[in-house]
Amino acid sequence: MYSGSSDGEGHEAAQRKIPPASSMLWVRNLRRFIGSGTGLGSEALMELETKRILLDIFKEKQQKSAEAGTIPSFYKKKPEDGSISHRVQRLAKYRFLKKQSDLLLNADDLDAMWVCLRENCVIDDATGAEKMNYEDFCHIASVCTEQIGPKCRRFFSPSNFMKFEKDEQGRIAILPFYLYVMRTVSLTQARIDMSELDEDSDGFLQPQEMEAYIRGLIPNLAQLRDMPASFVQMYCRIAAQKFFFFCDPHRRGKACIKKVLLSNCLQELMELHQESEEEVTDTEQAENWFSMASAKRVCDIFILLDKDNNGTLSKQELREYADGALTEIIIERVFDEHVRRGKVGGASSREMDFDSYLDFVLALENKDTPEGLTYLFRCLDLNGRGYLTTADIHSLFRDVHQKWIEGGNYELCIEDVRDEIWDMVKPADPLRITLADLLACKQGGTVASMLIDVRGFWAHDNRENLLQEEEEPEEES
């Protein structure tokens, strides 16, 4: 009935009769209806409004960039508190930190990993150490992933295995690897905790934020759990000041979180995790700035020096520090360089507040560190020239010599001491000593002690006898 040619012609005719979509009335009406937005739901309307706002912002930025030329923007105003931008930023930070926290190993996970390591390692016949080769390493990774989950897998990468010292058979000890995992987890958790306290999310902590971080650690530190509630605020202030002394060298009032995490201060604070103070000697407690004994000692000395109980120290009061062993000239220089001038009164009315006092004590107790030596060098540099001359050394040691003679010691020649200091430092310029020279000679702390403290000079003068006294108890034991 129908031939092939007639069928094809009918199909082509049908195609020609179908009008284009744009000419259909219902299509035009639907497009007009959607374009007006009257038929959209609330979510769709919100989406359209968001796109419009973002497009306006984009056009505004393009216009500003065109007007500014090639100069890039270097300042971005922070969102105001309570604004939508501020709320979105805080929510985004909270979700990100929560996600990072969920990826961390907890205490049970770490215990399970240690069990896996010990059960699948081999004992070195020569040393008795527990070790594993790369095959054991991969097998332990599989076992830990089954028991703990995929979050432990990142620690078992080939690059991590290559970080550790290997024996002749290519094996690594399991203990250093486990300590590496624990330290990584601890530092990551510390960074998350600090980031949560960083209100403006700039990667820095303000003093009050650092104090809040330390306050949150106190219940978890075995040696600080029994701290009296009345002393907590003062302790946090004392502890936080060390972080700022070492991590805020320019005294901007904020410490970089990355520097805090990599500093020895955090490691020293975490040493208080030890369950019993009996495991720590009295000397170690006194040397740890964050111990209860050290914090109370520093606070008690300040209270003892503050004769008029006004919360600050005058020059006369500071002279009594260390039983008056510091020289008169160094006390004057400390006030000149490191004590802020008062709003009223002249230089004579200046007094040292508690934070400045903490910096002063930290500098004296850490003279061998770059931060402590930098603090003291500013005091030693009498003329602010950035270097010390033979005349400066003579002027500084003259007060030490006077206290030395008043203490009933033998007569000594100031020029001989000056020459000895020059021999110790070996400055690049034979006529002057710079801070870089003191840091390079590795004896900068000793030199500073000789010039500011009669006890420091006595310790240097009797160093051989003191060293012998330290060695004798070791031989007897």
Side-chain angles (χ1 to χ4, degrees):
M1 298 251 331
Y2 297 99
S3 63
S5 60
S6 62
D7 185 30
E9 291 175 358
H11 180 66
E12 290 176 0
Q15 281 186 332
R16 284 196 300 270
K17 291 180 181 179
I18 299 175
S22 59
S23 65
M24 295 182 182
L25 180 61
W26 69 272
V27 172
R28 292 199 303 273
N29 291 337
L30 180 61
R31 285 178 177 175
R32 193 181 304 111
F33 183 68
I34 294 176
S36 64
T38 55
L40 298 178
S42 59
E43 292 184 4
L45 284 173
M46 188 179 297
E47 185 70 21
L48 285 175
E49 181 68 13
T50 303
K51 287 182 179 180
R52 186 187 64 78
I53 293 173
L54 291 176
L55 183 60
D56 292 342
I57 294 174
F58 177 72
K59 289 180 178 178
E60 183 182 354
K61 285 188 175 181
Q62 276 191 325
Q63 183 180 357
K64 288 183 178 179
S65 299
E67 294 174 356
T70 58
I71 301 176
S73 174
F74 59 90
Y75 172 74
K76 185 177 180 181
K77 186 178 180 181
K78 295 180 180 178
E80 298 179 0
D81 292 344
S83 64
I84 295 178
S85 299
H86 184 255
R87 292 178 182 179
V88 171
Q89 186 184 68
R90 292 190 64 178
L91 179 60
K93 184 177 80 169
Y94 169 79
R95 289 186 174 181
F96 173 76
L97 295 177
K98 180 68 168 59
K99 180 180 178 181
Q100 297 301 314
S101 182
D102 292 340
L103 294 175
L104 285 180
L105 301 178
N106 56 36
D108 294 335
D109 296 334
L110 291 171
D111 291 341
M113 180 182 287
W114 179 243
V115 171
C116 289
L117 287 168
R118 298 203 65 184
E119 288 179 348
N120 296 276
C121 67
V122 294
I123 307 298
D124 191 333
D125 296 333
T127 62
E130 298 172 313
K131 296 185 176 182
M132 58 181 171
N133 57 25
Y134 188 68
E135 292 182 0
D136 298 330
F137 185 75
C138 294
H139 174 67
I140 294 172
S142 301
V143 175
C144 287
T145 304
E146 292 177 1
Q147 296 185 6
I148 301 173
K151 59 184 178 181
C152 69
R153 190 75 193 182
R154 65 189 182 98
F155 294 108
F156 292 92
S157 64
S159 58
N160 278 347
F161 184 84
M162 295 301 294
K163 291 177 182 177
F164 299 92
E165 183 181 358
K166 291 171 281 296
D167 60 12
E168 297 176 353
Q169 301 178 34
R171 301 176 301 183
I172 65 172
I174 67 170
L175 182 58
F177 172 76
Y178 181 69
L179 293 177
Y180 159 77
V181 174
M182 288 186 64
R183 179 166 174 75
T184 302
V185 171
S186 176
L187 287 176
T188 306
Q189 184 62 61
R191 183 168 189 174
I192 292 172
D193 294 340
M194 292 181 189
S195 298
E196 288 179 350
L197 296 169
D198 181 14
E199 286 293 333
D200 50 5
S201 303
D202 62 348
F204 291 82
L205 291 182
Q206 308 290 337
Q208 67 273 13
E209 294 168 346
M210 177 61 73
E211 291 178 20
Y213 171 72
I214 295 171
R215 189 178 296 109
L217 282 181
I218 290 177
N220 300 321
L221 298 175
Q223 297 181 29
L224 301 180
R225 287 173 187 159
D226 299 329
M227 181 185 298
S230 58
F231 189 67
V232 169
Q233 183 176 356
M234 180 60 69
Y235 173 83
C236 293
R237 186 177 178 183
I238 294 171
Q241 193 65 26
K242 182 164 186 175
F243 283 100
F244 282 91
F245 183 81
F246 284 96
C247 302
D248 181 26
H250 301 295
R251 301 296 183 263
R252 296 183 297 173
K254 56 182 182 178
C256 177
I257 292 177
K258 289 184 179 179
K259 281 189 177 181
V260 171
L261 292 171
L262 297 175
S263 69
N264 293 329
C265 300
L266 187 62
Q267 183 177 354
E268 186 180 354
L269 177 61
M270 293 306 174
E271 289 176 2
L272 303 181
H273 271 299
Q274 297 182 35
E275 287 296 331
S276 174
E277 291 192 12
E278 296 176 359
E279 302 174 11
V280 186
T281 63
D282 294 339
T283 304
E284 290 175 338
Q285 285 188 42
E287 291 177 351
N288 190 328
W289 176 265
F290 300 101
S291 67
M292 274 284 293
S294 175
K296 286 185 176 180
R297 171 183 61 83
V298 171
C299 188
D300 291 343
I301 292 175
F302 182 86
I303 294 173
L304 191 64
L305 293 175
D306 186 16
K307 302 295 185 182
D308 54 5
N309 297 321
N310 66 343
T312 58
L313 300 179
S314 64
K315 293 179 183 179
Q316 185 62 36
E317 291 171 335
L318 190 62
R319 290 189 184 100
E320 301 300 319
Y321 183 82
D323 297 328
L326 298 178
T327 61
E328 180 73 22
I329 191 171
I330 205 64
I331 296 296
E332 292 286 340
R333 291 295 298 152
V334 166
F335 271 77
D336 289 342
E337 294 293 332
H338 300 291
V339 177
R340 293 182 291 272
R341 298 182 182 275
K343 295 182 179 180
V344 294
S348 59
S349 66
R350 249 189 306 174
E351 295 205 347
M352 177 182 284
D353 60 18
F354 189 66
D355 290 339
S356 298
Y357 162 77
L358 292 176
D359 285 340
F360 171 73
V361 177
L362 283 165
L364 293 179
E365 295 185 357
N366 298 273
K367 291 187 288 289
D368 293 318
T369 64
E371 294 80 7
L373 199 54
T374 300
Y375 180 102
L376 294 174
F377 185 81
R378 289 179 57 185
C379 303
L380 298 175
D381 185 9
L382 302 179
N383 298 299
R385 296 172 296 189
Y387 59 86
L388 308 179
T389 63
T390 53
D392 294 328
I393 299 296
H394 190 281
S395 300
L396 290 165
F397 190 73
R398 187 171 51 203
D399 283 6
V400 177
H401 177 260
Q402 181 180 349
K403 287 182 176 291
W404 175 266
I405 298 301
E406 291 174 355
N409 296 291
Y410 65 88
E411 182 61 50
L412 51 83
C413 179
I414 296 180
E415 285 72 18
D416 291 342
V417 176
R418 181 192 62 196
D419 295 340
E420 183 180 0
I421 290 175
W422 234 258
D423 292 337
M424 292 169 64
V425 177
K426 294 181 176 60
D429 186 334
L431 299 179
R432 58 182 65 174
I433 294 176
T434 64
L435 175 60
D437 293 326
L438 290 176
L439 293 171
C441 74
K442 307 300 182 183
Q443 299 189 74
T446 302
V447 172
S449 296
M450 295 169 62
L451 295 174
I452 68 174
D453 182 358
V454 67
R455 290 180 178 178
F457 178 75
W458 183 91
H460 172 73
D461 191 59
N462 294 271
R463 58 191 179 281
E464 295 179 357
N465 296 333
L466 294 174
L467 183 61
Q468 185 177 358
E469 291 177 2
E470 291 178 0
E471 292 176 351
E472 285 178 356
E474 295 179 1
E475 295 175 356
E476 293 175 359
S477 59

